[in-house]
């Protein structure tokens, strides 16, 4: 009898979820490597997820080059497992595509994979890298997502997957590169409330934050052993702060008082190739923003 | 309460099916277009399916060039629907990949898609075209499947999808081309018992059997309108007969008496690049063969 | 006898035309889809054509994805016919290349096709999209034309087609994208006198202006049925106006009085990779500009 | 008046030619380099041309690697001129495609070029290399032509060029390679009557027969200077003889007496991927064959 | 003073070697993976090397997929080290190209690398796989080497590296595949005298013979630990025997008596696309053959 | 005895050089064509070389299209010889890659070649074109070098060649293109002292400076015959001057007095994708700069 009740509740739950989906904001974050989405948009993702919205992280490469000692399929499998764990910690779905790390090229095949993913997720918002960035995989991921924009509404492209009825809002994540244009923070989200959860979720990528990235920085011997210190280690290096222009944007969206007190934030720039949201739509898509 | 019982039975059914799967023979047929698997191995597929085994048809292209009046995504969607209906009639799963019809190239991306499909289906048997055939898509489909053979057991390739533990048996379907070698019927399956079902299932590809193929043959005006006559129309043209060397193979597997009376058959040649089954294994994989 | 006279006049006409060609300005407009050249440079093309100059429109893709119901070769043929009709209405030659719509990649083969077309047309002016634009086909068309610039004068490239003796002037058409740079109107042409002809010529692309584009905009039910209203429908949506910076440019080229009264204009930005014309050469190439 | 008469006769001539075209056999020979068609099918081409039929030679590469001292565009232009002269001497049209010699790859772009050429020529017969041959360009030319077979009748492929209503007869030219199969002479044409014209026409490829090929054979110093001796030089090396199996085929088509006396012949093998002509159709397509 | 003498002797040695090179037979073996050349031609290579001739092994891929636990760059580096050690044991030079294992495609870039390697080695003999074989990398390696044949003498291809003056003899190594043709042993070399050295040299590929290949065969637990038993383990599995048709070839080259007693042999088939050696040349190139 | 002494001194020299290499600055300049590095960074290269530092010039294409009369391999060989001579005159190593001029595409293969070259040279500084420039080969060379930046430190990429321990400083050479950004002279080097040597070294590219480039400029008849005048001819056209913003940079690095008197200079912009050097590091890498 108990099992029947469980089944019943599952069924009801499903029905409830289906209804609830009507109002869900659906977000897909597309990064080059398993861990890119996490650092760039992980805090905002947690906030969306906590409010019941649907977030998916996609890594366009399988990360099979990101280590000083491992490589290939062996590394790809480890990173896949890390990504699954990170997804659980963030409260999002995580998918890793089978493209070699460090060898991504913006070809039609990957473009179509991305079109399909955006459509299947019925995305309202698509977030990715800017097309200028130090890592070629980041640049080509951005180019692929740009090349998917608009195409997601064209029925003759990837015809087996129904097109979206409107072009989503496409957003770029923050970076520090100045040419040809510096990043412009159209939207900034305060993540103070979830910064610890973000750091904890990022820590799932052990091969990256405790091995590969410290190795490239020459500080592999500085990585602590115990869990608590390891979270601090990530926090110190990747928690980020709030630069002046981000603060300005925070004030715009949160009002003077709250905006100027934010310690940790994630910022986004609106890509010209997707739908251009007005302020009202931004507030609908980013319900964690508090109008001043 | 009734619904709960239905649910319960569904759950039990699933558990039962999971157990049953242990002994299932798992077959994947990989053709170039939506309708190629059907004519080449459809009868054998019905027999497997009726015995409870698992068969999947894959079309490597979406068939978007196979019509005299329609084309592109519009045609692809129509053919996808026809393939789904054909799958239901055959009792098999049907999947259509998003590659342009008439433009298939044997690149790494499609090879990896096929490796993934064979692995995910946990195939014991893989069936495809021979690499010499009049249609370039058939040739390149065969080449892609050949290129997937062996690779399906290599863990470092498509590392996110666990490899098979042994290379499946790879089989070619029958054709009439003589060079560089004629087709050799290592295995022949009598399909007399299911020939009507095969024809009916093929008829699901209306755009092909009643429009495009008659058009290329210059007999579009000969296509009947009513359902019954349409089935006869297909039967007459595609039911096939039994050539002398096929008869010889049938006699080998079914014995003199039954073998020599078979009217409709499908034959297969063993590809050298997969596992080489001995007679005993062939009988296990083709349980519809009746040892003399 | 009458026929002989007609023949004679044809022959004379041809001789006359050959002589006249010496002074003709030769313009090639290269857009991504059949209808892109039309909206972007159609008015200026009519003006050139009326003055006896030679204009050619090229669509780099065959437009086979631009419809909600049709696709593939069927759509490509319809759009080819529309393009031919549009060419007649504009008074220009129209050529459509056989590349899939929505799948253009900037490869060497298409680059060489474009080099050949520019050379064979003996172009003085080449007009195309800017490389930043919402549609990937537009971006890659621009990249392909940029990649052809300079190469059109190198004899070892596409050696069968004699090179041009000087690099043409390459121009970009107007768009509203701001990054990495906004469009800069170096040249603006008043098209008030031919705006009706432009709209009428654009209307030849029925599949686009009355079916596909309204469908993407969600206003398919607003498309009128009668010819007159259909022209108004296009005019309202695509006739364009004159922004402040375009007005500034118009005043530069037409003088204060005329320039400030222009209602419809097409503007062009000089690409740095072609020949850099001075004001005098611009006036020679754009004889419809009236010096103040 | 005289000019008018000339014009008139030209016009009549054209009308006559248009009518005559109805019964013309239309042949396209597709070789890898400018001079491949000539040696392989040049004699038969002369015979067709003399009977009023339409023959076109196509070189898929521009021959820009075939010389010991020249190369690139400079060589391509020389060979283009040689091909044009050879075409005049053979009485056929000659076209050279812009692909690098020694670097041909069987990609979709070249396949589509070939589909277009076969369709535009409205070919009844297509002749090319066998896919096994010492030169990679020969092999890939054969593969490209095979990949065009059947596709020439599919309207959705290269949709701007109307498809043929029936698949042409595809033929391979003779070579001496034994694996995987030796060449099989289904058809053999006696060219004794035109052997001198063939040699003279081949001699138009001066860069090849008097420079490059002798250089590769280490006999550059043996090449004579005067025209007469140069023709003998080619004749001795490339005139060919009649092997036993070719003689057998000649006897089949010309009867015992004539067939066994033939000194120079060209032979062809029927490709399985095109239309399979019966004896009657072969005689229609090869009207120079004299039934015994 | 001692050092000066050493230097002097080194210099003299070099001069001596340069002279000796005039008569050296120069052999390049091109396999798909680091270990393919070894098993296929390692014994013959040892014999050549012992006689003072120059042998080079090339692996076209870096072997980065050939392991059940490692992969990518980590594995590639291990296999590179193993190949270097194997080279020392065989007495040959070993080079590994940077192409992914399991992903080799026969593109122009790799073809040119191979042309360059054959030229730089000034090869008299080139040995590779047959183009039909169970592993796609083997097939595409064979295709690449075929595509390099003839091209190695064309100066305009890879123009920076001087061409060979004559096409080398190209040979295929033995396999058991029957279609489209079985392997034909034109040449067979008795390797009884060096079989132990061959096994020892192969054993340098520890990752393969003691880990990966046993794993794929399901006998990883059967691999012995001590060096002696490990050599026996390889010997038993890869030493090979002498089939009837190989014996026939051995008798041809070694005479009845010796030929029929050979226990271990390596056989080669002459590829039609290279120079066709007569018996005398074969004896010159294979000086270990003893004329009966 | 004398020879022994020479040998001895050579050996000692080598040992000395090996030690000296520890402190050598290692620079690699990567241009699109053989002569691009020369004009863009040749003066600075001479200064580095004179101070004992190690400079290498790489041409990514072989320059086989850069002539009005020659082409292909013939031209490539001539330009290779010119590059070797130029390298001698500059005092740098010169390497030319085997990619067609005018057909460079930014594919993975060339990217990996460049990664390998940068690593093997153990480069501290990498110099290339900006990605916006009139010539597609320049743009794609820049893109390839950008795509190599960062990857040079990743061990799993090009695993056979040990990675660099730190990302080099990547610099762009000067050009006049304004979009999307004008060139910004972060560093400017006075080359007055070596301008004559630079011109003399550039003159080694005879096919370019005295034939091709004058031909494209329409001044082939202005090219002088005697050596002295030819150097003047180059000097006048390519010596360059010092624009205002370059002067500003010169003053920054050389101080007011010396900086404002410089007549000839080469300027470099720091690429954001490599290591970002501070002023101190710039002075270490550019020891010819004299702090004010």
């Amino acid at each position: 009898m108990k099992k029947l009740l469980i089944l019943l509740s599952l069924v009801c739950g499903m029905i409830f979820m289906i209804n609830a989906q009507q109002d869900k904001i659906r977000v897909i974050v597309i990064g080059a490597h398993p861990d890119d989405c996490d650092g760039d948009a992980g805090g905002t993702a947690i906030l969306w997820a906590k409010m019941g919205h649907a977030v998916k992280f996609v890594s366009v490469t399988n990360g099979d080059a990101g280590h000083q000692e491992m490589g290939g399929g062996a590394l790809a499998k480890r990173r896949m497992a890390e990504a699954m764990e990170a997804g659980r910690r963030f409260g999002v779905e995580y998918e890793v595509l089978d493209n070699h790390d460090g060898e991504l090229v913006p070809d039609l095949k990957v473009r179509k994979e991305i079109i399909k993913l955006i459509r299947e997720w019925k995305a309202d918002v698509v977030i990715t890298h800017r097309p200028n960035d130090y890592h070629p995989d980041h640049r080509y991921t951005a180019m692929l997502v740009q090349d998917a924009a608009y195409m997601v509404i064209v029925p003759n492209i990837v015809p087996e997957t129904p097109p979206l009825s409107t072009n989503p809002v496409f957003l770029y994540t923050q970076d520090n590169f100045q040419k040809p244009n510096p990043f412009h923070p159209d939207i900034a989200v305060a993540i103070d409330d979830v910064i610890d959860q973000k750091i904890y979720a990022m820590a799932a990528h052990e091969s990256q934050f405790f091995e590969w990235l410290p190795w490239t920085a020459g500080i592999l011997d500085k990585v602590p052993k115990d869990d608590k210190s390891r979270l601090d280690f990530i926090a110190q290096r990747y928690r980020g702060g709030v630069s002046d222009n981000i603060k300005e944007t925070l004030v715009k969206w949160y009002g003077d008082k709250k905006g100027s007190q934010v310690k940790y934030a994630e910022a986004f720039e609106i890509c010209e190739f997707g739908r251009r949201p007005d302020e009202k739509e931004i507030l609908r898509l980013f319900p964690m923003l508090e109008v001043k």
Side-chain angles (χ1 to χ4, degrees), chain A:
Chain A
M1 191 59 201
K2 200 177 142 200
K3 282 187 185 169
L4 283 181
L5 286 177
I6 291 170
L7 266 168
L8 195 61
S9 72
L10 277 173
V11 173
C12 294
M14 273 185 284
I15 290 163
F16 175 78
M17 279 167 66
I18 289 162
N19 285 341
Q21 280 180 346
Q22 310 310 330
D23 301 325
K24 271 193 182 176
I25 297 155
R26 303 191 63 81
V27 179
I28 191 165
V29 188
I30 302 176
H33 307 102
D35 79 328
D36 281 335
C37 297
D38 311 52
D40 289 346
T44 313
I46 293 170
L47 292 171
W48 266 315
K50 280 183 186 296
M51 298 170 93
H53 302 293
V55 182
K56 180 170 188 171
F57 284 4
V58 174
S59 173
V60 180
T61 76
N62 63 13
D64 65 355
H67 204 270
Q68 69 278 25
E69 285 178 356
M70 307 175 65
L75 179 57
K77 275 178 285 191
R78 183 176 176 199
R79 297 192 68 175
M80 171 69 92
E82 292 174 348
M84 294 306 106
E85 174 60 21
R88 275 186 291 275
R89 297 183 185 181
F90 278 115
V92 309
E93 193 168 308
Y94 216 123
E95 182 164 350
V96 177
L97 305 186
D98 183 32
N99 296 298
H100 283 305
D101 183 0
E103 302 191 1
L104 185 64
V105 287
D107 67 20
L108 278 178
K109 282 278 179 185
V110 189
R111 188 202 290 186
K112 288 184 178 183
E113 275 182 286
I114 288 174
I115 290 171
K116 207 177 162 199
L117 286 168
I118 294 173
R119 287 181 180 176
E120 286 176 344
W121 196 250
K122 297 181 197 309
D124 301 302
V125 177
V126 181
I127 302 178
T128 192
H129 304 279
R130 286 208 302 158
N132 51 309
D133 187 310
Y134 77 103
H135 198 303
D137 290 348
H138 294 193
R139 295 196 289 275
Y140 294 121
T141 295
M143 194 180 296
L144 284 160
V145 174
Q146 286 182 353
D147 289 353
Y150 185 72
M151 286 300 130
V152 293
I153 70 161
V154 178
N156 270 305
I157 302 297
V158 193
E160 299 79 13
T161 309
L164 299 182
S165 54
T166 53
N167 210 2
V169 172
F170 285 77
L171 301 174
Y172 297 125
T173 58
Q174 185 178 0
D175 61 58
N176 294 313
F177 298 93
Q178 301 300 309
K179 291 189 180 170
N181 304 97
F183 172 80
H184 182 270
D186 292 308
I187 301 165
V189 176
I191 59 166
D192 296 15
D193 294 349
V194 294
I195 185 68
D196 289 343
Q197 184 177 346
K198 177 180 176 181
I199 296 299
Y200 172 66
M202 287 169 74
H205 300 283
E206 296 189 353
S207 69
Q208 302 303 295
F209 292 107
F210 305 131
E211 301 174 17
W212 168 239
L213 294 171
W215 183 87
T216 63
I219 55 167
L220 191 55
D221 56 339
K222 301 282 189 300
V223 179
K225 300 287 181 220
D226 67 293
D227 285 357
K228 174 69 181 59
S229 310
R230 282 161 89 96
L231 294 183
D232 289 347
F233 179 80
I234 299 184
Q236 280 173 340
R237 297 181 60 79
Y238 299 101
R239 196 168 40 191
V242 168
S243 64
D244 284 355
N245 64 341
I246 302 293
K247 180 159 290 183
E248 205 175 298
T249 305
L250 286 164
V251 165
K252 174 183 171 189
W253 291 106
Y254 289 90
D256 259 357
K257 186 160 169 228
K258 166 138 195 204
S260 59
Q261 289 170 347
V262 173
K263 287 172 64 186
Y264 308 111
E266 287 167 353
F268 306 97
E269 174 177 329
I270 298 167
C271 163
E272 297 187 283
F273 302 157
R275 193 168 74 254
R276 317 277 184 92
D278 58 14
E279 193 165 316
K280 193 175 151 203
E281 185 173 16
I282 291 174
L283 287 170
R284 187 179 66 74
L285 295 172
F286 285 80
M288 66 287 285
L289 295 179
E290 295 168 23
V291 204
K292 48 203 157 182

